[in-house]
Amino acid sequence: MLRTYLLLTLSLAALHAQSVAVTLPKSKAAQPLDGRLMLLLSTDPQQEPRFQINDGVSTQQMFGIDVENWIGGQTMVIDTQAYGYPAHSLAQMKPGDYVLQVLLDKYETFHQATGHTLKLPMDRGEGRHWNTAPGNLYSAPRKVHIDRDARVTVVMDREIEPIVEPKDTKYVKHVKIQSERLTKFWGRPMFVGAHILVPDGFDTHPDAHYPLMVFHGHFPSDFSGFRTQPPDDNLKPDYSERFRVSGYNRIEQQEAYAFYKKWTGPNLPRMLIIEIQHANPYYDDSYAVNSANIGPYGDAIMHELLPYIEKKFRGIGEGWARFTYGGSTGGWEALAAQVFYPDEFNGSFAACPDPIDFRAYTVVDLYKDKNAFYDEGPHQRVPRPGMRDYLGHLKSTLEQINQYELALGTKGRSGQQWDIWQAVYSPQGADGYPKPIFDKITGQIDHEVATYWRDHYDLRYLMERDWATLGPKLRGKLHVYAGTMDNIYLNDAVYLMEDFLKSAKNPPAEAEVKYGDRFEHCWNGDPNLPNHISRLRYNTMYIPKILEQMQKTAPKGADLKSWRY
């Protein structure tokens, strides 16, 4: 009798468990939809919940489920089985009043050249951000009360508007081309583009041909840090939590205007600077290399996009006159481009690069550690840190960050940092999605996948393994910078890279590796200015070094004059 009573009680509890029923209007679904349906709950009414989900302590709450073939007029239910972050289940939510919103991150079906059929969220001009992607559906925020008996209904009747593409100006031009290589890989038209900063006098010096600088970084909506007008006097000063600085929006405008004055002044040499747009279904950029999951982006950039730009904008088009630089993701890309295409660039400036040695995959040794989330002993295990502040205080753990990504998307489809590393570096799994480097729930590392990573993308390992052939091509070209208090521990891999570069022989590396004592992410080599200023001066910081390198290494008869007006 007691057993029957308990079963009946549990059944009644299940019937009255929390749930949110989401209706998809017929007007918003001309055809069945696939995607990730997200329930967003916030205790802060100052902003829409979709803008309050992050991997830090300030995050609000979300839950997600995969949906397939959702037909207009039908209802989907998000209940206690949906995976959530930070709380893993609706059943764990504290009773109370919340602002509720739902959003569908739409997936598109891809028929890859590999033979796999995948459902993924394609970039639509926003840089692969689920909460701003044009065409994604969402609901208006509304106040609700959540408790153990809450059953809420909501209609998802709003749609995010398309992105307006930037227009050409005197100094900033925009190009977009369909890539034959990527189109073949993905089974549908795929494009790469760039924002090009042309030098002063470009139109009045038709015989000049210019060196090319590739400034790698995250998805740029337009060319960043360049402004032809003085700062806006009416701009309301904001506060930057990241840099702990008031009025940072004004500082950015002032630096952008100062760069314009230098760019058009008499002292800087005339060059082309480009920022590449290569967002894809997995992230806001491709990491600029060829990948089993992302496709041949490295070759598409090097053999399709750059030659197109250099022809259209009179680039010199030779390796001695090309340079690459960037920070964080852009730092890794800058170094990787130099390593994978050693003859095509004459220098790489990698600031605060993403892990360049997988023995320090932030704080994980992928080759020796068994678990990515915990340092484990016979009787104790300690959570691995994922992010710290400038004093070293823990902001989030690796487990929490990956739980955040899993709530946003299964099969590596979150569009976030750890999932893109996996998508770029991993082989394809049997289902066509990236083979996991570790289990998102348990943290258990797959060392077979780690070996694949090492042999294909561990930049320190590849240089050390192939130094006999790479060394002569990389000598004197490598520059790496990191702050010793990098917020995601990226300096640890730089230490390991430095050990190799110092020991390299036949030839010596002649590399530059510098550290900013107590500087955070993303320190880029200036010991005299704080991060929030130096990060706005990549172009002017590296141009003098680039000019010196060209003058020292240009082949006999090279054009060192037409662009020096």
Side-chain angles (χ1 to χ4, degrees), residues 107-126:
Y107 291 173
E108 179 180 323
T109 299
F110 295 86
H111 301 284
Q112 281 189 341
T114 60
H116 296 102
T117 298
L118 306 179
K119 295 184 177 182
L120 294 163
M122 184 56 193
D123 171 69
R124 302 173 210 126
E126 85 291 349

Side-chain angles (χ1 to χ4, degrees), residues 345-363:
F345 292 98
N346 198 8
S348 165
F349 299 82
C352 53
D354 287 4
I356 53 180
D357 186 319
F358 295 151
R359 294 173 298 172
Y361 184 52
T362 71
V363 296

Side-chain angles (χ1 to χ4, degrees), residues 322-341:
R322 290 196 198 105
F323 294 80
T324 181
Y325 54 90
S328 195
T329 290
W332 192 93
E333 291 171 326
L335 188 59
Q338 184 70 78
V339 171
F340 286 111
Y341 302 93

Side-chain angles (χ1 to χ4, degrees), residues 248-314:
Y248 193 56
N249 52 348
R250 289 190 173 184
I251 293 173
E252 288 179 312
Q253 287 194 357
Q254 179 58 51
E255 287 294 323
Y257 180 63
F259 176 46
Y260 156 70
K261 299 293 285 184
K262 292 178 181 178
W263 186 248
T264 57
N267 296 323
L268 286 185
R270 311 305 180 185
M271 301 178 177
L272 300 170
I273 305 177
I274 70 169
E275 294 181 344
I276 301 175
Q277 282 192 317
H278 43 132
N280 59 80
Y282 285 103
Y283 199 52
D284 68 11
D285 75 22
S286 69
Y287 275 66
V289 292
N290 297 338
S291 164
N293 296 291
I294 306 294
Y297 270 93
D299 287 349
I301 291 169
M302 292 304 306
H303 304 313
E304 296 179 71
L305 182 62
L306 294 194
Y308 177 86
I309 291 172
E310 288 174 325
K311 181 178 180 180
K312 185 177 179 67
F313 296 98
R314 304 197 309 272

